[in-house]
């Protein structure tokens, strides 16, 4: 723990280490991998949302002259039911394997059924169309409420509901039901002066990362598999490949290339095992890249959801009881983020009586996956909208309501834990004092309707395993070797923590994200864990180096190590009344060889993240279109290592939240086909749709990190949905409960159509 | 994407010959912003793309007193909105070409291509219809002309026959005291296809108090872009008022027969026809008043 609170590097804004390579186009991404004898892989995907695969005939496709190999699920080793942890979610490996290549049933349109390797990508595409699959088409189910009906089409005959630890006998689509409960719900509602109960729905939403999934695999004659790919976690890919392909992890090397966005969607593997299997069978490198349509139809989006919230409060604005039912789309296989959503739904508040029920429901959509604070945007949309309605009915300022009910250190979270030092109320106070909140909005300028919305959000944040090696070069600059994919500027935020310990500048550190053979195990970049956990590993490695250097200096000066002090990058001692000093670089030069510090850490104590957002917007009453006028996002980040990148995380979260709120969502026809599987009609906000987003970083240091870091990347996606819905509802005078609030829904709510 | 042949035709007759030989397996390539996407997404298969960007007549912009503005069919959007003469005379066309695709697409996409693609939601077509534009079609039996409002016959279908292609679009010189306006509704502010589009052109009297004549056209509410004849006619000679503009909007709504799809619902589109017709007419009227 550094004693000097005056930071030299932390809190400054140096240029990121990977910046020049990225702006000049030199940074190497998965699509840049090329080998002279490389083959190209392509996946045949189910054209049906729900179908039994009766037979697959590859004979015609095999005769295509450019085709070298065709695989189906028969070529995957049989994987048993095994539950394994993957980043922010848990998954059954049998389901994971079936999701790679469908065995008995295709469970969504886009579900991989077979794959081809050919000498060029066009031939591969031709060949997959020559594979003949005999399907028995089954009725699809696309809505969680329909999927829960007793007579709904069943996706998995073997799936029985696990309800609060107990298994049921009946095959059905409800994979699990969990319940969290404390206090006396009935008494709590009886004590309420006002109760609001509403149903909400949110759409299936894709992360929309700009770079599509890619993988190039090579299998050497000595049985070593190498996979170059875009991933949030190379070790996670190695683990999944090991389990799906039944290979020892030591035989697999995963090389993480630069990543063009992930947001949780690049943790699960899709085409990586396929490329690996094709490479193993052909003994040639095989490259695969997905099209955008394949990404929409064949990779995990965030779950759509139905949520019912009932909240009671007394006249003073104190919450007396809260109840929630969350039903989440798992997609084709169990494992939605309903658990996380259930933890987050009332987390910003101290509530004595509550009950939260969560249901994980399978249906004929791609298996859902993590997306930035998985489950929390959906959940907090519902709870924060109900809170806003209570505020309106009590005629109470929504900030004041949150100050009355906000959780603080010592309060108990809905799912049990007692909060350590948290900064929720600090975000609410910062909102109250912000110029944005002080300024009133003109309600009806030129016939348009204006509204202001406020909402808060919570995300747990994660810790977990990270490893770092620091090598000190003779010129005094250091290589920092890490295994964390850099998605949001973490080379910089990790290097800066090491620089702070060693009294160096950020530029003296050369961070490198390396493959799985070249660094110790490191968890995925997810759960807002990287600046926190890999940062702690880097701090520990730097402290190790500092101790070694003190040894070198002591030896050099012929003193005991305890006689040597280290301050601001300089080693100091007194000897025979003389002041001795050497800089870090001078010590590196006299060290007489490399100094190496390797550390692995698995810190707990990731401080929870809270945010409070304020939005002003305008509704065109004739068209239902919403324009955001002003947006202020306030967040407790514990300590902003590199404030620009922390602000960037907040702005990015808000931008995505605007999409969830207003325009994004998977659209399906009755056959279960996605009708908007392109960026033309899957409408993510463009720069024209976003205001300048003002960010306010509140710093309530996390006691679990030497510099106070809290994860910052996920919680900014939690409040925008409700903040925008609250503003639209206040503008038009009708409570909006369905996302996205597309223009037609706004017109309908206003009774115009 | 499938393999196909590519020929850059050097003359109108060469292009006609190639089209005549290959029938529906040949397709004109202008900007390619629709065609290439359709082939890549397997919505269209073909053997031959005939690039017409090297044929001089198909790429020229000219003005004459007899024909007004003659736009080569392959003229890209950006050349149109950067032309100061077109900008002042045909603001409704500028509205349309400035919102087709994004800025990169506008560097390639042409008004002729927008017409020939025959999407019901094409932005430039209602703008051309209200400007009384004429399509010049070259073919094996010579050149013929068709009014822009009659050019599209169904989604993706035009009046052109085998061997024919669009070489230019003629737009008459506007009257004094006239202007035009096009707008569309999209859920975002860029990069969308029109949920509804509406174009209007108006000729006002000297005092700017009354309509001499007006034209209204609609996009994305029927299998083809529509000329709203009744809405247009009922404005002729009428004093400008909210009431008469509302009547025109209702008449426009009456001919809209929209569908529900991933871009909007039928009810929403019908409603928006009224809103956009009013806004287009008011926009055109205000432009006449502002230029005074």
């Amino acid at each position: 723990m550094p004693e000097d609170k005056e930071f030299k590097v932390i809190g400054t804004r140096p240029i990121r280490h990977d910046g020049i390579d990225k702006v000049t186009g030199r940074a190497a991404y998965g699509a840049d991998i090329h080998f002279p004898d490389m083959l190209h892989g392509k996946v045949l995907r189910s054209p049906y949302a729900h179908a039994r695969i009766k037979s697959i005939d590859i004979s015609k496709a095999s005769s295509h002259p450019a085709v070298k190999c065709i695989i189906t699920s028969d070529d995957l080793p049989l994987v048993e039911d095994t539950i394994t942890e993957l980043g922010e979610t848990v998954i059954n490996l049998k389901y994971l394997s079936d999701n790679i290549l469908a065995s008995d049933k295709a469970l969504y349109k886009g579900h991989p059924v077979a794959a081809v390797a050919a000498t060029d990508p066009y031939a591969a595409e031709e060949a997959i169309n020559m594979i003949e699959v005999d399907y028995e088409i089954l009725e699809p189910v696309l809505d969680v409420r329909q999927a829960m009906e007793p007579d709904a089409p069943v996706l998995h005959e073997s799936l029985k509901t696990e309800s609060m630890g107990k298994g049921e006998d009946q095959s059905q689509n409800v994979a699990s039901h969990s319940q969290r409960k404390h206090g006396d719900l009935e008494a709590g509602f009886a004590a309420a002066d006002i109760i609001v109960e509403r149903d909400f729905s949110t759409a299936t939403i894709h992360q929309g990362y700009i770079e599509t999934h890619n993988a190039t695999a090579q299998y050497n004659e000595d049985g070593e598999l190498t996979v170059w790919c875009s991933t949030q976690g190379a070790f996670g890919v190695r683990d999944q490949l090991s389990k799906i392909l039944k290979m020892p992890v030591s035989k697999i090397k995963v090389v993480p290339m630069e990543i063009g966005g992930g947001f949780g969607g690049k943790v699960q593997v899709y085409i990586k095992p396929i490329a690996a299997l094709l490479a193993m069978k052909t003994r040639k490198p095989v490259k695969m890249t997905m099209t955008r349509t394949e990404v929409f139809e064949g990779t995990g989006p965030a779950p759509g959801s139905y949520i019912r919230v009932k909240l009671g409060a007394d006249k003073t604005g104190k919450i007396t009881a809260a109840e929630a039912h969350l039903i989440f789309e798992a997609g084709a296989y169990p494992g939605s983020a309903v658990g996380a959503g259930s933890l987050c739904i009332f987390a910003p508040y101290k509530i004595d009586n509550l009950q939260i029920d969560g249901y994980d429901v399978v249906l004929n959509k791609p298996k859902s996956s993590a997306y930035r604070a998985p489950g929390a945007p959906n959940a907090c949309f519902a709870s924060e909208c109900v809170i806003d309605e209570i505020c309106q009915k009590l005629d109470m300022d929504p900030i004041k309501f949150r100050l009355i009910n906000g959780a603080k250190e010592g309060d108990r979270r809905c799912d049990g834990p007692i909060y350590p030092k948290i900064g929720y109320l600090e975000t609410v106070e910062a909102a109250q004092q912000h110029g944005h909140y002080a300024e009133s909005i003109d309600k009806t300028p030129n016939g348009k309707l204006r509204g202001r919305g406020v909402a808060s959000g919570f995300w747990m944040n994660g810790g977990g395993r990270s490893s770092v090696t620091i090598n000190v070069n003779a010129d005094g600059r250091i290589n920092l070797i890490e295994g964390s994919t850099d998605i949001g500027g973490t080379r910089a935020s990790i290097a800066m923590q090491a620089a702070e310990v060693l009294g160096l500048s950020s530029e003296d550190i050369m961070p490198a994200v390396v493959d799985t053979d070249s660094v110790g195990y490191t968890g995925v970049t997810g759960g807002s864990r990287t600046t926190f956990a890999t940062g702690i590993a880097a701090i520990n490695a730097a402290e190790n180096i500092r101790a070694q250097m003190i040894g070198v200096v002591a030896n050099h000066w012929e003193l005991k190590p305890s006689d040597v002090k280290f301050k601001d990058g300089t080693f100091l001692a007194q000897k025979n009344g003389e002041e001795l000093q050497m800089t870090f670089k001078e010590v590196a030069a006299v060290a007489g060889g490399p100094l190496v510090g390797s550390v692995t850490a698995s810190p707990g104590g990731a401080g929870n993240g809270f945010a409070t957002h304020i939005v002003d917007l305008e509704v065109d009453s004739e068209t239902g279109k919403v324009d955001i006028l002003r947006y202020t996002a306030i967040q407790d980040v514990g300590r902003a290592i590199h404030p620009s990148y922390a602000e960037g995380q907040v702005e990015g979260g808000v931008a995505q939240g605007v999409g969830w709120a207003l325009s994004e969502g998977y659209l399906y026809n009755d056959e279960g086909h996605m009708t908007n599987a392109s960026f033309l009609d899957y409408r993510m906000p463009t720069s024209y749709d976003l205001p300048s987003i003002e960010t306010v970083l509140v710093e309530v240091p996390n006691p679990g990190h030497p510099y106070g870091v809290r994860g910052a990347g996920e919680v900014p996606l939690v409040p925008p949905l409700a903040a925008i819905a609250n503003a639209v509802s206040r503008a038009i005078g009708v409570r909006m409960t369905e996302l996205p609030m597309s223009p037609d829904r706004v017109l309908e709510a206003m009774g115009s159509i | 994407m499938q393999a196909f042949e590519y020929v850059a035709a050097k003359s109108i007759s060469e292009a006609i010959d190639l089209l005549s030989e290959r029938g529906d397996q040949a397709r004109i390539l202008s900007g390619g912003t629709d065609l290439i996407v359709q082939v890549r997404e397997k919505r269209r298969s073909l053997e031959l793309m005939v690039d017409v960007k090297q044929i001089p007549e198909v790429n020229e912009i000219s003005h004459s007193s007899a024909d007004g503005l003659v736009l080569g069919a392959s003229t890209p959007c950006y050349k149109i909105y950067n032309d100061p003469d077109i900008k002042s005379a045909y603001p409704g066309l500028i509205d349309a070409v400035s919102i087709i695709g994004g800025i990169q697409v506008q560097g390639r996409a042409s008004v002729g291509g927008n017409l020939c693609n025959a999407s019901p939601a094409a932005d430039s077509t209602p703008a051309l219809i209200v400007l009384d534009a004429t399509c010049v079609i070259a073919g094996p039996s010579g050149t013929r002309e068709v009014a822009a409002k009659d050019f599209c016959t169904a989604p993706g279908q035009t009046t052109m026959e085998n061997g024919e292609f669009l070489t230019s679009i003629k737009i008459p010189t506007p009257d004094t005291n006239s202007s035009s306006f096009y707008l569309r509704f999209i859920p975002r502010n860029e990069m969308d296809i029109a949920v509804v589009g509406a174009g209007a052109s108006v000729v006002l009297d000297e005092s700017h108090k009354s309509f001499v004549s007006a034209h209204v056209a609609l996009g994305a509410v029927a299998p083809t872009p529509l000329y709203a004849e009744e809405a247009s006619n009922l404005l002729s000679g009428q004093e400008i008022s909210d009431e008469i503009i509302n009547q025109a909007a209702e008449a426009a709504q009456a001919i809209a027969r929209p569908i529900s799809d991933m871009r909007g619902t039928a009810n929403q589109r019908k409603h928006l026809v009224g809103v956009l017709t009013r806004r287009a007419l008011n926009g055109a009227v205000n432009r006449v008043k502002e230029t005074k």
Side-chain angles (χ1 to χ4, degrees), chain B residues 29-41:
Chain B
L29 174 73
S30 187
T33 57
D34 285 312
L35 183 64
I36 292 173
V37 177
Q38 289 161 2
V39 174
R40 197 180 58 217
E41 293 179 355

Side-chain angles (χ1 to χ4, degrees), chain A residues 122 125 129 620 622-623 625 627 667 675 679-681 683-684 686 688-689 743-744 747 752-753, chain B residues 1 40 42 185-193 262-263 265 267-268 271-272 275-276 278-279:
Chain A
Y122 309 106
E125 203 177 317
N129 293 320
D620 182 331
E622 287 189 319
T623 66
K625 185 164 164 175
D627 272 314
L667 302 175
T675 56
F679 275 142
L680 177 61
D681 290 309
R683 300 189 183 98
M684 297 184 80
T686 72
Y688 291 97
D689 305 306
D744 57 312
L747 285 178
S752 302
I753 57 170
Chain B
M1 188 170 183
R40 197 180 58 217
K42 300 190 186 78
F185 180 77
I186 55 174
R188 292 182 295 190
N189 291 302
E190 206 209 2
M191 297 298 289
D192 278 332
I193 305 248
M262 70 282 196
R263 296 185 182 130
T265 65
N267 280 345
Q268 177 193 17
H271 169 84
L272 287 171
V275 177
L276 265 53
R278 287 195 297 273
R279 290 183 181 183

Side-chain angles (χ1 to χ4, degrees), chain B residues 81-102:
Chain B
Y81 61 64
N82 283 335
D83 184 311
D85 294 334
I86 302 180
K87 227 170 179 166
S88 62
Y90 309 101
L93 180 62
I94 301 296
D95 292 335
V97 297
S98 308
I99 56 175
I100 293 175

Side-chain angles (χ1 to χ4, degrees), chain A residues 26 110 150 179 199 206 277 309 361 396 460 541 570 653 670 688 747:
Chain A
R26 287 214 191 279
Q179 189 175 77
D199 289 334
H206 202 272
L277 205 52
V309 168
V361 180
M396 179 176 270
M460 284 83 76
T570 305
D670 291 343
Y688 291 97
L747 285 178

Side-chain angles (χ1 to χ4, degrees), chain A residues 481-533:
Chain A
I481 316 294
E482 56 178 303
S484 287
T485 300
D486 182 356
I487 306 185
T490 53
R491 280 186 183 87
S493 69
I494 291 160
M496 288 168 74
Q497 295 178 62
E500 190 70 47
V501 172
L502 296 173
L504 297 171
S505 71
S506 175
E507 293 76 17
D508 286 327
I509 319 281
M510 294 173 289
V513 179
V514 298
D515 64 67
T516 51
D517 281 3
S518 309
V519 68
Y521 191 95
T522 298
V524 299
T525 294
S528 298
R529 64 175 293 278
T530 304
T531 297
F532 169 77

Side-chain angles (χ1 to χ4, degrees), chain A residues 435-445 449-453 614-618 629-630 726-728 730-731:
Chain A
H436 182 167
Y437 205 66
E439 202 170 289
S440 69
I441 54 165
D442 173 9
K443 280 230 155 181
T444 50
L449 305 169
R450 286 189 176 179
R452 171 172 294 164
I614 311 165
V615 61
D616 294 351
L617 51 77
E618 193 167 86
L629 304 172
R630 185 173 183 182
N726 291 339
V728 172
R730 285 172 182 257

Side-chain angles (χ1 to χ4, degrees), chain B residues 3-279:
Chain B
F4 56 84
E5 290 170 67
Y6 167 91
V7 176
K10 299 286 189 295
S11 67
I12 290 178
S13 58
E14 186 188 352
I16 292 170
D17 289 346
L18 287 164
L19 292 173
S20 305
E21 262 169 46
R22 299 293 187 98
D24 63 0
Q25 281 304 302
R27 196 77 189 167
I28 295 287
L29 174 73
S30 187
T33 57
D34 285 312
L35 183 64
I36 292 173
V37 177
Q38 289 161 2
V39 174
R40 197 180 58 217
E41 293 179 355
K42 300 190 186 78
R43 283 185 281 138
R44 181 189 291 283
S45 73
L46 45 66
E47 291 170 4
L48 173 67
M49 286 194 194
V50 182
D51 190 340
V52 292
K53 290 193 290 296
Q54 293 185 22
I55 304 174
E57 303 92 302
V58 182
N59 290 280
E60 282 168 0
I61 299 178
S62 65
H63 302 265
S64 76
S65 51
D67 290 333
L69 170 68
V70 181
L71 271 182
S74 285
T75 316
C77 293
Y78 87 96
K79 277 199 181 155
I80 299 170
Y81 61 64
N82 283 335
D83 184 311
D85 294 334
I86 302 180
K87 227 170 179 166
S88 62
Y90 309 101
L93 180 62
I94 301 296
D95 292 335
V97 297
S98 308
I99 56 175
I100 293 175
I103 195 155
Q104 293 89 344
V105 167
Q106 289 153 17
R108 274 286 190 187
S110 62
V111 169
N114 201 220
L115 253 178
C116 294
N117 187 53
S119 159
D123 286 307
S124 65
T125 311
L128 291 172
I129 291 172
V130 298
L131 290 169
D132 216 3
T134 305
C135 305
V136 182
I137 300 164
S141 47
T143 299
R144 66 185 177 103
E145 296 190 354
V146 174
K149 68 181 167 64
D150 300 323
F151 185 76
C152 299
T153 55
Q157 304 292 318
T158 70
T159 173
M160 291 189 297
E161 310 238 326
N162 187 24
E164 289 189 323
F165 78 104
L166 181 72
T167 57
S168 63
I169 298 150
K170 299 196 298 194
I171 311 177
T173 307
D175 294 310
T176 49
N177 297 314
S178 74
S179 195
S180 55
F181 199 95
Y182 173 80
L183 82 169
R184 69 180 178 194
F185 180 77
I186 55 174
R188 292 182 295 190
N189 291 302
E190 206 209 2
M191 297 298 289
D192 278 332
I193 305 248
V195 176
V196 173
S201 69
V202 299
V203 182
L204 306 187
D205 67 354
E206 280 297 322
S207 66
H208 296 174
K209 293 256 167 34
S210 299
F211 292 104
V212 174
S213 65
H215 294 310
V216 174
L218 306 172
V221 292
T224 63
L226 290 183
Y227 174 55
E229 193 168 358
E230 196 188 330
S232 305
N233 291 344
L234 70 79
L235 293 166
S236 291
Q238 297 290 324
E239 196 176 315
I240 300 167
S241 67
D242 287 347
E243 199 193 337
I244 195 75
I245 287 176
N246 283 340
Q247 279 179 31
E250 280 167 26
Q253 281 178 299
I255 63 160
R257 38 184 208 282
I259 56 165
S260 291
D261 65 8
M262 70 282 196
R263 296 185 182 130
T265 65
N267 280 345
Q268 177 193 17
R269 286 186 159 117
K270 196 107 179 166
H271 169 84
L272 287 171
V273 166
V275 177
L276 265 53
T277 301
R278 287 195 297 273
R279 290 183 181 183

